[in-house]
Amino acid sequence: MRTRDYIYAVSDILRKKGDVENTLATLRQMLQSRGLMKLYPAILRGVLQKQERTVSHEETQVIFARSDDTEKFTDEIVSYLAARNLPHIYTYSIDPTIVGGYIMKTKNERINKSYKQTLLHTYRTIIK
Amino acid sequence: MSTIIEKIKKELESLASTTTLEETGTVVAVGDGVAEIDGLQNARMMEMIIFDNTEGKTLAESIDDTSVLYGLVLNLEEESVKAVVLGDTSRVREGMLVKRTGKLLSIPVGDNIVGRVVNPLGEILDGKGAYTHTREMAIERVAYGVMERSAVNEPIHTGIKAIDAMIPIGRGQRELIIGDRGTGKTMVAIDTIINQKYEPEEKRPICIYVAIGQKESKTARIMQELEDNGAFAYTVIVSTSAADPAPLQFLAPFAGAAIGEYFMEKGQDALIVYDDLSKHAVAYRQMSLLLRRPPGREAYPGDIFYLHSRLLERSAKLSDELGGGSLTALPIIETQEGDVSAYIPTNVISITDGQIFLETDLFNKGIRPALNVGISVSRVGSSAQTKAMKKVAGKIRLELAQFRELEAFMQFAGDLDEDTKKRIESGRRYTELLKQNQHATLPFYKQVVSIFSANEGILNGAPVENVRAIEQALFDLIEREKTHIFKLIETERAINDTVLAELTALIPDFKKTHAHLYT
Ligand SMILES: Nc1ncnc2c1ncn2[C@@H]1O[C@H](COP(=O)(O)OP(=O)(O)O)[C@@H](O)[C@H]1O
Ligand SMILES: [Mg+2]
């Protein structure tokens, strides 16, 4: 619990100030004065993990049903990104459960053009 | 058959165009029922969000899975939001996608929610199947303004003589019930609900009992008591137990208020009991700690006062233009060793229209309900009292006030003169008359007869321990031979000349025929 509190606090400060050296120095000082220096490595690992996750979901990600589809929707995807003023780069992954179409995820939105969603929608409207 | 084909055809045509665009965020941390979410830029306070668990599931699995896991946005920060998970937190994982619903948290309500037990989200707890709902009532909302309200002008009868006579409550009022543990606070509230059965059906308020962090066994017992006394048919129980997550307990009174507002807005009267706001404050404190909000006095978050005033503001008597419905609130506060100057009690005292103080000393002395009538008040209720009750209440209030003074004086003075002795005797008899067993509530017309007769001397000369027997014998007599007296007071809500004459004449006869009660 205590380690997690520190991870939260440090991540928060880093996000707002971005000053890594000073933040960590203050953290070490504080831990030392409280005799908690042994928590330091765990806190660093936690902060790192949190940062990595944040970076990964800030990138645009696209999910396709099969690798053949990766080229098929390029125009649509790029024009969408252009409309949102987002960089024209994205990573993609394959998830056969979406059946067809694609799902695009940016930091704040999800565009779902998957067949799975359409089929699910169809099912729910007909079988009530 | 053909409609199915039509439907499928139509759906197939639109197949290519079913695109959804959702505003989303990502869970970056989760623990203790709270999720921190990056993104969700435009989310609002108290908005419902959905933790999306459809990713990576096959179509078949998705079809089977109809359970939706909701969250509630409670902290808006620059880059992220914090939300409480309204359900099984273990289903939320870091990296999970979260989507906005654009809807503020609401509870489905319909007429047949009455007689049911639900949680603050409207989920059924009594295993009796779904209730049909006609509206989604927002759990948090701005209360009605002054222009939309009218003055409190009709009573809520608790069935408890001491309250209805001396601390009358009006429909739309907020009257606090306050006292230590075990002083009968819950009982006063439950008896008030039970007493509504004496109201004519069209004027009978829908009652809502909100259990906040109570033991489940206690809530079950309350439900049984309501059932046994024929009161559950017009009551809704919103139940959270101590085992429920703090956010759910926090939501309970607001959900109850939303249910009350549903009926109020239909022009009906509703009565809501919050049992109790001390536990509510504790749940809010716990939740705020999890949300990392800075603690203030007694470690409660700084906005707890605002929270409770927002809740209690929602009690109202609506203007005729808005249908004239009402929501009366009986919030309960549990004090520690009678300390009403603690943070939460002082707050709630200042935002209610009056207080009913219950005391351990009185309770232990056998004065039950353990009401301290000296310090209990109702600031708006007297304008709502029936004429009949107004007429008889003045004297009893005066007698009891004098009695309290004399009682204090008695402890110093050795011998007392005859007049003082008489007054003390009279005070004792009135005190005895105001005792009532649990669930032995009285319709107002019986209360009026009882107090009227006491004022006219029916108790004079009787030993204190016979007071309640005399009252009962009087009721029996009237029920047997003069029921029209009860009827007339009930319908006219006043003591007319006939009743006055008959009742006054009755007393000497009664004393003669019941001489055994006066020795
Ligand atoms: N008027 C009454 N006459 C007799 N017993 C009562 C009365 N009011 C309450 N009690 C009993 O006192 C106990 C405590 O009452 P309760 O309403 O649960 O207290 P609180 O809510 O203040 O903790 C209960 O066992 C209840 O049955
Ligand atoms: Mg209680």
Side-chain angles (χ1 to χ4, degrees):
Chain A
M1 181 70 198
R2 203 153 44 177
T3 313
R4 219 183 70 205
D5 286 337
Y6 282 111
I7 295 171
Y8 269 75
V10 172
S11 305
D12 222 41
I13 295 167
L14 285 179
R15 190 158 58 194
K16 281 173 191 145
K17 297 224 179 83
D19 182 353
V20 182
E21 287 77 15
N22 269 326
T23 309
L24 292 188
T26 317
L27 173 67
R28 278 194 302 270
Q29 238 171 30
M30 188 188 287
L31 291 176
Q32 232 143 27
S33 71
R34 296 183 187 178
L36 293 173
M37 212 36 208
K38 61 176 189 303
L39 297 183
Y40 190 58
I43 295 171
L44 281 189
R45 274 197 298 276
V47 172
L48 187 64
Q49 243 179 28
K50 222 165 137 58
Q51 289 296 319
E52 280 170 355
R53 265 199 306 272
T54 309
V55 171
S56 81
H57 75 250
E58 279 180 355
E59 288 169 356
T60 300
Q61 296 170 306
V62 184
I63 303 169
F64 299 104
R66 59 191 80 83
S67 36
D68 297 356
D69 285 356
T70 52
E71 304 292 318
K72 213 156 127 190
F73 303 105
T74 309
D75 287 352
E76 256 181 76
I77 292 168
V78 167
S79 70
Y80 169 83
L81 291 173
R84 304 274 148 149
N85 272 328
L86 291 168
H88 294 194
I89 42 166
Y90 55 88
T91 55
Y92 74 81
S93 55
I94 304 297
D95 176 3
T97 68
I98 75 166
V99 187
Y102 66 92
I103 298 173
M104 176 161 57
K105 294 193 280 187
T106 68
K107 188 183 171 196
N108 286 303
E109 281 176 342
R110 174 168 68 177
I111 292 85
N112 196 336
K113 289 195 99 166
S114 71
Y115 293 176
K116 175 168 101 177
Q117 132 130 344
T118 307
L119 290 166
L120 201 59
H121 177 76
T122 311
Y123 178 85
R124 297 240 191 275
T125 18
I126 295 174
I127 317 289
K128 272 249 161 92
Chain B
M1 238 6 213
S2 64
T3 58
I4 293 182
I5 293 169
E6 285 307 306
K7 275 188 182 171
I8 293 180
K9 273 189 181 161
K10 226 166 111 202
E11 276 302 316
L12 276 175
E13 276 159 26
S14 65
L15 205 82
S17 62
T18 326
T19 306
T20 57
L21 188 146
E22 294 154 329
E23 284 187 59
T24 57
T26 312
V27 175
V28 291
V30 59
D32 300 320
V34 173
E36 190 182 345
I37 300 152
D38 257 17
L40 289 182
Q41 267 174 336
N42 303 316
R44 292 179 295 167
M45 263 314 253
M46 293 299 268
E47 178 173 337
M48 277 200 277
I49 53 176
I50 293 175
F51 293 96
D52 185 289
N53 57 358
T54 56
E55 266 180 47
K57 277 196 184 147
T58 64
L59 184 59
E61 285 167 343
S62 303
I63 283 175
D64 287 341
D65 184 10
T66 49
S67 68
V68 184
L69 184 58
Y70 286 105
L72 176 67
V73 176
L74 284 172
N75 261 26
L76 299 173
E77 286 155 28
E78 232 170 293
E79 294 277 331
S80 62
V81 305
K82 286 205 182 92
V84 295
V85 183
L86 299 173
D88 182 6
T89 315
S90 68
R91 285 169 62 193
V92 179
R93 292 178 315 276
E94 288 186 12
M96 202 173 198
L97 196 101
V98 186
K99 51 186 185 182
R100 283 190 63 187
T101 64
K103 277 202 308 188
L104 298 184
L105 185 62
S106 59
I107 179 170
V109 188
D111 285 354
N112 61 6
I113 195 172
V114 174
R116 303 301 302 270
V117 185
V118 296
N119 78 3
L121 304 175
E123 291 167 351
I124 291 146
L125 300 179
D126 54 16
K128 280 197 247 165
Y131 57 91
T132 48
H133 68 274
T134 44
R135 287 185 70 188
E136 294 275 341
M137 300 299 294
I139 281 186
E140 262 265 57
R141 59 173 281 178
V142 180
Y144 281 97
V146 185
M147 295 306 290
E148 293 149 329
R149 296 175 187 240
S150 85
V152 168
N153 58 13
E154 246 189 287
I156 280 271
H157 287 127
T158 65
I160 297 166
K161 277 173 281 185
I163 298 176
D164 290 346
M166 291 180 286
I167 319 154
I169 304 170
R171 296 189 182 206
Q173 186 177 338
R174 304 156 297 179
E175 182 78 13
L176 172 65
I177 302 171
I178 184 167
D180 281 4
R181 185 171 169 186
T183 49
K185 301 182 297 300
T186 300
M187 200 54 66
V188 167
I190 294 304
D191 278 353
T192 303
I193 293 179
I194 290 173
N195 190 58
Q196 302 315 309
K197 70 181 171 201
Y198 295 122
E199 292 291 311
E201 213 175 316
E202 68 281 2
K203 287 280 5 162
R204 183 183 302 147
I206 298 295
C207 300
I208 303 146
Y209 176 79
V210 182
I212 306 164
Q214 301 279 2
K215 281 205 195 95
E216 259 168 65
S217 58
K218 216 171 192 173
T219 309
R221 200 170 63 229
I222 284 169
M223 188 191 130
Q224 196 56 49
E225 282 174 23
L226 291 172
E227 184 95 86
D228 293 346
N229 287 280
F232 196 51
Y234 53 82
T235 303
V236 187
I237 294 183
V238 179
S239 174
T240 57
S241 81
D244 282 320
L248 211 59
Q249 296 182 39
F250 157 75
L251 288 174
F254 294 95
I259 296 172
E261 281 161 348
Y262 169 85
F263 292 104
M264 173 169 76
E265 288 174 3
K266 284 178 62 190
Q268 286 178 260
D269 291 314
L271 168 74
I272 187 162
V273 174
Y274 302 115
D275 197 0
D276 61 64
L277 292 187
S278 306
K279 288 200 186 70
H280 184 244
V282 170
Y284 187 56
R285 173 167 70 186
Q286 198 188 338
M287 196 178 85
S288 300
L289 287 174
L290 296 175
L291 291 166
R292 281 153 225 281
R293 292 183 183 163
R297 203 175 138 189
E298 290 182 25
Y300 289 105
D303 63 346
I304 183 101
F305 175 78
Y306 177 57
L307 181 81
H308 281 158
S309 71
R310 230 162 52 213
L311 172 69
L312 293 171
E313 266 304 302
R314 286 165 71 172
S315 305
K317 163 83 186 154
L318 292 185
S319 65
D320 287 342
E321 292 81 63
L322 289 175
S326 71
L327 178 62
T328 309
L330 298 178
I332 295 177
I333 285 281
E334 185 158 298
T335 48
Q336 308 293 327
E337 289 167 41
D339 181 11
V340 295
S341 65
Y343 186 39
I344 302 299
T346 359
N347 277 353
V348 180
I349 285 174
S350 74
I351 45 185
T352 43
D353 307 308
Q355 300 82 38
I356 293 169
F357 286 95
L358 299 175
E359 292 181 355
T360 310
D361 274 0
L362 296 173
F363 193 89
N364 292 342
K365 270 200 249 167
I367 300 179
R368 301 178 192 179
L371 229 87
N372 184 332
V373 286
I375 55 173
S376 297
V377 286
S378 168
R379 281 188 276 274
V380 294
S382 65
S383 53
Q385 227 171 6
T386 60
K387 267 197 188 140
M389 190 59 95
K390 262 199 195 116
K391 191 173 179 125
V392 299
K395 179 148 192 241
I396 189 170
R397 194 176 292 155
L398 197 69
E399 287 269 350
L400 283 172
Q402 283 179 344
F403 173 58
R404 277 192 304 277
E405 265 173 39
L406 289 174
E407 233 187 357
F409 171 73
M410 231 163 47
Q411 300 175 350
F412 305 104
D415 3 285
L416 304 164
D417 59 69
E418 273 312 301
D419 183 53
T420 312
K421 270 189 196 155
K422 251 188 171 157
R423 280 183 186 285
I424 288 174
E425 275 305 298
S426 163
R428 286 204 174 120
R429 286 192 207 102
Y430 270 114
T431 306
E432 186 65 22
L433 188 70
L434 292 182
K435 289 184 188 170
Q436 263 172 279
N437 289 340
Q438 41 193 334
H439 309 332
T441 63
L442 291 175
F444 85 96
Y445 53 88
K446 280 194 170 177
Q447 298 184 33
V448 167
V449 165
S450 170
I451 299 171
F452 177 89
S453 310
N455 291 346
E456 293 299 315
I458 199 167
L459 303 176
N460 291 356
V464 169
E465 58 274 17
N466 284 355
V467 162
R468 291 162 92 183
I470 291 174
E471 182 189 49
Q472 191 53 53
L474 177 67
F475 289 159
D476 290 346
L477 174 76
I478 295 179
E479 233 141 48
R480 238 179 9 248
E481 294 169 17
K482 297 193 176 291
T483 28
H484 61 280
I485 291 185
F486 285 153
K487 275 272 141 47
L488 277 172
I489 302 176
E490 186 183 10
T491 50
E492 298 194 5
R493 306 196 134 210
I495 302 175
N496 66 20
D497 292 345
T498 325
V499 173
L500 187 81
E502 283 203 48
L503 267 181
T504 320
L506 193 94
I507 292 166
D509 286 347
F510 176 90
K511 283 184 139 176
K512 256 181 239 143
T513 49
H514 294 79
H516 62 285
L517 291 171
Y518 291 84
T519 50

